Amino acid sequence: MNRTVQKSLFFIVKSVRTSPSNFAAWRGLSTTPDPHTKVCIVGGGPAGFYTAQHIIKGRPDVQVDVYERLPVPFGLVRFGVAPDHPEVKNVINTFTQTAQHERCRFLGNVNVGKDVSVDELRQVYHAVVLSYGAEGNRSLGVPGEHLSGVYSAKDFVGWYNGLPYNRELQPDLSHDTAVILGQGNVAVDVARILLAPLDMLKKTDITQAALDALANSQVRRVLIVGRRGPMQVACTIKELREMVNLPGTQPDMLTDDFHGVNEALKDLPRPRKRLTELMLKALKEQAVKGAHRKWGFRFLRSPLDVLPSADGTRAAAIRLALNKLEGSGDEARAVPTGEVEEVPCGVIISSIGYKSLPIDSAVPFDPRKAIIPNTMGRVQETTGLYCSGWVKRGPTGVIATTMNDSFDTGRVLLQDLDSGAIDLSEARLGAQGIAPLLEKRGVRPVSFSDWEKISGEEVRRGEAQGKPREKMLDVQEMLSVAWS
Amino acid sequence: MAAAAAARVSVGHLTLRISRVAPDCSICPFNRLNVCRNAITGGTKGRALDRFRTPNRNLQTSISHYHLADHSNAEDPDDVVNVVYVDRSGHRIPVRAKVGDNILYLAHKHGIELEGACEASLACSTCHVYVQGDYCDKLPDPDEREDDMLDMASSLQENSRLGCQIILTKELEGIELTLPKTTRNFYVDGHVPKPH
């Protein structure tokens, strides 16, 4: 290799050995060019990376640092997208390119709000973008929802996707019926993972623990319950088609739930029309199939309470109120009829929505909508503070929705840089200003190349099982591999 | 670091080791001065390097031959297809392309802001484009899976297609592809409302 490269490497190696704050995450602070404008992004998921991408592309003099609480990046692309949807995860290649850009730095294992405050970030960065998503979930608000056997879909999905926080979930899959509350794509993903043939699942990056639990699962019927009708269902056609085509399974829906739907078809906009047609087709064809595993929507039903087992320790059934619809289309409202039904089941998965939480008392937060109050991504009553993704808009939409939203915030931020709305007259320290704080607090960031070591090890472990990767479930283990 | 693909060639008593090494962009002055098109992040603009990447065995692309379409610089007039992209600000960008080119990757090659998050696997709608007028009929009907993903796109129109599914033929000479305005926050004329 040529002399210049050799010399630079020597310098870097020398600094690593002599100074603790020259961890990989800080490498290059003194050797690479130092763009004037410093932007910080909180959250290393799709919103964070797409916002970073837009800003880096938009101006040549901006450095973007992405802070992430976990040692591993990519947020819900890693922990939310179903294991049998690897194509959806291709977007990781785009994020990797961004992270490896010279003017981008990834700092994992840094908990903003705990290890460093948003105010401290705002002091050393010209602008801060909050893209930390939605880590909480909406609660059902019914008696019995805290019984063993009732899980949030967020936790269930986190469990089969290897989110460290959910690794001890141990869902009870010993009863033949599972009830999912909510009819969005997350609910359909959960249904599909519960019923998918093991042959399919074992070649994915689903965790080994989940695979073992599913291999022993007695679940044979999954009901996906929603309070309104077929034309209000929130899932999309791709996911529904996968359920309809899922080998070894058949639909199990109720004709009564589809009253009036055929007649309303012709007036529906294309996406809704195609989705409803597919549901009707599934309903029509379900009689001819003879599969042992069944799944089905149950419409016009709201949860009233979860009924405990005889010993009072677990969920044994769910009581549902039957509804009728008033109004139509998106505005239709579910109104109880007074009728009630009980469904015995062993596991209840509540898939009624994720929810953002406030990160820091200094950041405005709207507890009713559970988002950061903002106008087009500019956090209200502040300057230099922005938000993108679910924490800005609410926890709905697919990756493409978040992408567009992140580009919107990026556009607004770039405008503010151009117009002088963000004061760039003073140089700011950026990551160099945070390094001493973290060091003092005993926090060591994980760099992107550290993450690549974790990833390499996961891929290696997966190879032995014929899987794309075997995810590490323990943060300490991730850190020891990252810094080995 | 640079990925290396090596091969051994034996000729008589001599063994040549041929290594193909991916360019190390971090030391290149074009990259540092930000004048290397491949260095500008924007989805998958680094496509030129793709030949060097170990293929992800789980990468399911519906169109896997896109990278083969770009191996020669020689222009065969029979091969040329002229295409016009209309970007989100309304600018017309004429592009000289070839039969077999994929509209998504062609856009990337020319710095046009068309994302391809799922890399042509019919798992997203980020390469959504509007196809001008009569050219719609000249395209093969969309696969059911393409229609499923189009249903997710915002501002869906009759002439909506996914760019990653459009492969150029001579018949598509002069085709115009318009990028949809994706944002709902801005007025069409660029006016930005003040908070109130």
Side-chain angles (χ1 to χ4, degrees), chain A residues 124-138:
Chain A
V124 299
Y125 285 95
H126 292 106
V128 173
V129 184
L130 300 165
S131 313
Y132 62 83
E135 68 183 272
N137 47 260
R138 290 180 62 206

Side-chain angles (χ1 to χ4, degrees), chain A residues 8 76 79 86 113 159 173 240 245 254 294 344 405 445 452 471:
Chain A
S8 324
L76 284 177
F79 295 117
W159 168 72
L173 303 176
L240 180 62
N245 295 334
L254 305 174
K294 298 186 189 187
D405 173 275
E452 285 171 327
K471 290 178 187 167

Side-chain angles (χ1 to χ4, degrees), chain A residues 44 63 82 86 142:
Chain A
Q63 167 74 29
V142 302

Side-chain angles (χ1 to χ4, degrees), chain A residues 2 5 31-33 50 53-54 56-57 59-60 84 86-94 97-99 101-103 185 203 236-239 241 245 270-272 274-275 375-378 392-393 398-401 403-405 407-408 411-412 415 459 463 466-469, chain B residues 24 26-27 31-34 38-47 49-50 53 56-61 88 113 115-126 143-152 154 156-157 160 182-186 190 192-196:
Chain A
N2 70 54
V5 174
T31 56
T32 53
Y50 270 131
Q53 175 188 307
H54 194 89
I56 288 172
K57 211 172 63 136
R59 276 172 71 120
D84 57 346
E87 337 71 52
V88 178
K89 301 193 204 189
N90 286 349
V91 76
I92 284 178
N93 297 332
T94 305
Q97 276 201 317
T98 301
H101 193 281
E102 186 190 40
R103 289 184 284 115
N185 282 338
K203 296 189 216 123
T236 54
I237 194 170
K238 173 172 177 273
E239 283 70 19
R241 208 183 286 287
N245 295 334
R270 175 188 132 148
R272 179 60 69 188
R274 291 180 78 238
L275 179 60
T375 310
M376 298 192 304
R378 294 183 179 100
K392 165 187 170 195
R393 260 186 9 260
V398 293
I399 291 175
T401 331
M403 178 190 84
N404 288 329
D405 173 275
F407 289 170
D408 283 352
R411 210 169 289 134
V412 157
Q415 259 184 14
V459 168
E463 262 164 27
K467 296 162 83 175
R469 65 175 63 234
Chain B
D24 183 357
S26 61
I27 58 169
N31 186 50
R32 283 165 170 269
L33 293 170
N34 227 26
N38 287 330
I40 300 167
T41 16
T44 43
K45 283 205 173 64
R47 278 290 139 184
L49 301 178
D50 274 356
R53 275 202 287 186
N56 177 350
R57 82 173 82 101
N58 295 301
L59 195 74
Q60 294 169 37
T61 51
R88 297 181 210 279
E113 287 180 7
E115 288 292 324
C118 76
E119 298 179 1
S121 4
L122 289 177
C124 78
S125 55
T126 58
D143 187 75
E144 184 178 69
R145 293 182 304 151
E146 181 182 347
D147 272 334
D148 285 354
M149 294 324 300
L150 279 169
D151 281 358
M152 301 291 308
S154 58
L156 185 67
Q157 290 175 183
S160 285
T182 50
T183 174
R184 280 151 289 172
N185 288 334
F186 292 89
V192 176
K194 299 266 180 304
H196 54 271

